[in-house]
Amino acid sequence: IKKNFQLVDIGAESTRPSGKLIGLEEEIRRVELYLENINTDLIKSFIHSVDTRRYEVIQRYIEFNSQIKADTFTIVNDVSGARDENMINLVAKNNLGIILNHRHPNSKVLHEKFKYKDPIGEVKSHLISQIDLLLSLGVDRGSIAIDPALGFGKDQNVSYKILEDIDKLSFGYPIVLGFSNKKFSEAFKMSSLELSDYAFSKGVAIIRTHLS
């Protein structure tokens, strides 16, 4: 794992609880608007992950990588839990990285809340099952990172408990964590910087935060 690097996470569809889901056509339109207006020389200096639940969007970024002759957009951040085999096959075929976001196996919609008796144990079990699927479809083990998806399908207390014991989620894959602008993080009574230091001390590899 590289240390002290910056990863830029971009997405064209809001995944906040109050956000409105959009169709593929609208998401592609927003992606095209972004690609038409970015400074390609500037973005080549950063690793990018693409936040989307649609493999067609990833395919467009792969095509853009070819156009600019770079491997800029090389990580998939699929908040839907990588359930679409088209997405998984695309990741495997193109040797992309993937941030596997936890999602309860019974979840029908993104922010459907579930009860957890053992938050870390259950999340870990669900992630292991999904990783087994990824590996069976040809995704390289070294291309996978895991994200417990705090705040997604979890109430504030569950998210708090997962973050409190995040070191127990470790089972050989880099842990990605996002907690900024989320209500449960206030319960730690730490600044964002202090909370980031806490997470890193517990073995978290990447902190995903907002620019503002």
Side-chain angles (χ1 to χ4, degrees):
I1 301 170
K2 294 181 179 179
K3 295 183 181 293
N4 299 320
F5 72 94
Q6 290 182 316
L7 186 152
V8 180
D9 189 54
I10 58 172
E13 180 183 52
S14 173
T15 55
R16 67 183 186 276
S18 60
K20 182 180 179 181
L21 297 180
I22 59 175
L24 173 61
E25 184 176 337
E26 174 61 16
E27 187 173 1
I28 290 290
R29 186 194 70 79
R30 295 179 184 183
V31 168
E32 294 292 354
L33 181 64
Y34 169 67
L35 295 179
E36 290 168 1
N37 289 280
I38 55 176
N39 182 327
T40 55
D41 291 329
L42 177 62
I43 64 168
K44 287 179 182 179
S45 302
F46 302 92
I47 301 170
H48 284 67
S49 65
V50 180
D51 188 336
T52 184
R53 56 195 172 94
R54 296 184 169 104
Y55 75 93
E56 297 95 336
V57 173
I58 297 300
Q59 185 62 61
R60 179 65 189 95
Y61 278 102
I62 292 172
E63 293 168 358
F64 188 75
N65 278 340
S66 179
Q67 292 170 18
I68 65 174
K69 295 180 172 56
D71 292 324
T72 300
F73 303 98
T74 54
I75 300 174
V76 175
N77 182 18
D78 183 356
V79 75
S80 70
R83 294 180 168 190
D84 184 350
E85 289 196 10
N86 290 314
M87 177 73 87
I88 300 172
N89 289 331
L90 193 64
V91 169
K93 179 181 177 181
N94 293 276
N95 298 313
L96 302 177
I98 182 165
I99 298 172
L100 177 61
N101 286 261
H102 170 262
R103 187 169 175 185
H104 195 286
N106 296 329
S107 173
K108 302 299 182 185
V109 294
L110 188 59
H111 288 286
E112 183 179 359
K113 293 288 193 294
F114 287 87
K115 300 292 184 181
Y116 291 85
K117 293 183 178 179
D118 174 15
I120 283 287
E122 292 173 62
V123 167
K124 186 175 181 178
S125 176
H126 298 159
L127 286 170
I128 289 173
S129 294
Q130 194 62 18
I131 286 174
D132 286 344
L133 174 61
L134 267 61
L135 296 177
S136 72
L137 292 175
V139 176
D140 184 83
R141 186 180 300 274
S143 299
I144 302 171
I146 58 172
D147 186 335
L150 302 179
F152 287 87
K154 305 168 183 70
D155 62 28
Q156 292 183 31
N157 187 53
V158 168
S159 293
Y160 176 89
K161 288 181 178 179
I162 292 172
L163 181 52
E164 183 180 39
D165 295 326
I166 194 64
D167 55 309
K168 296 178 182 178
L169 187 63
S170 178
F171 58 100
Y173 295 90
I175 299 173
V176 181
L177 202 58
F179 52 75
S180 70
N181 295 349
K182 293 183 179 179
K183 193 73 175 175
F184 73 86
S185 63
E186 296 176 4
F188 281 85
K189 301 187 185 307
M190 297 181 187
S191 68
S192 293
L193 182 58
E194 290 171 334
L195 196 49
S196 294
D197 287 341
Y198 169 80
F200 285 132
S201 75
K202 291 280 192 174
V204 171
I206 299 172
I207 298 293
R208 188 169 64 244
T209 188
H210 293 82
L211 294 177
S212 59

